[in-house]
Amino acid sequence: MKPQPMVVPFWSPEEVEAAINGILAHLAAGKVLAYPTETVYGFGGAVDERSVESLVNLKGRAPGKPFLLLVASSDMITRLGLNLSSYAATLAARFWPGPLTLVLSGGENRVPARLRGPEGGVAVRWTPHRSLQRLIMAHGGPLTSTSANRPGVPPAMAADEIVTQWTDAVVRAKLLVLDGGRLKESSPSTVVDCTGRRPRVIRPGAISAAELKERVPDLVGDA
């Protein structure tokens, strides 16, 4: 796909570095990014009320359906005041960066309410996607994340699918699409609720229950 004003190459390290300043300006304006991850293309932005509202409006997200946070360092979790219990820290040490999403407690007065699930937890994943890691570190904080697709349509696996579905937002510069090429089919991340006394699998995914139980034997649920 030929580069367009709001579609920028985001594949090689050189392309990523060339795009960083423009991406950061887009984030600072409270607008939404579409970006490649280790699984599918995602939508996201900065972790503040204005940026989250922009994401809600673009996605048409129903109340009660939260977004997750992508991080690239443990310090980002600490700064948001999120709690890593001893078993959550064990899972993070073994499987991060990687396809494991942990739902954490804490973050009061630091994390917008729309990022919390029905039970109050905040979903976090340390992405292993190298280009996305570089962007998050340059941004200096987490990015929100949700799949880049309309209801009933499979998550996008390539940038041109996003442009086709969200042409108006791209043309009006509300959405900046980072083109990281076509992604390979892969399993979603495993999601583990870490807000209770015991870890609980709430979505099976790439990491199996057997692998998780090697580190936390009292895990509840299958994956």
Side-chain angles (χ1 to χ4, degrees), residues 126-150:
W126 187 330
T127 176
H129 192 283
R130 293 291 183 86
S131 298
L132 195 52
Q133 284 183 359
R134 173 68 183 97
L135 171 58
I136 293 170
M137 292 302 292
H139 175 55
L143 293 179
T144 55
S145 187
T146 184
S147 59
N149 62 297
R150 294 191 181 276

Side-chain angles (χ1 to χ4, degrees), residues 74-110:
S74 57
D75 181 60
M76 293 182 182
I77 296 173
T78 302
R79 292 203 307 268
L80 287 175
L82 297 173
N83 302 320
L84 272 176
S85 63
S86 58
Y87 67 75
T90 297
L91 290 173
R94 169 60 182 85
F95 296 106
W96 278 359
L100 177 66
T101 299
L102 302 179
V103 180
L104 307 176
S105 61
E108 288 75 12
N109 302 317
R110 302 189 197 181

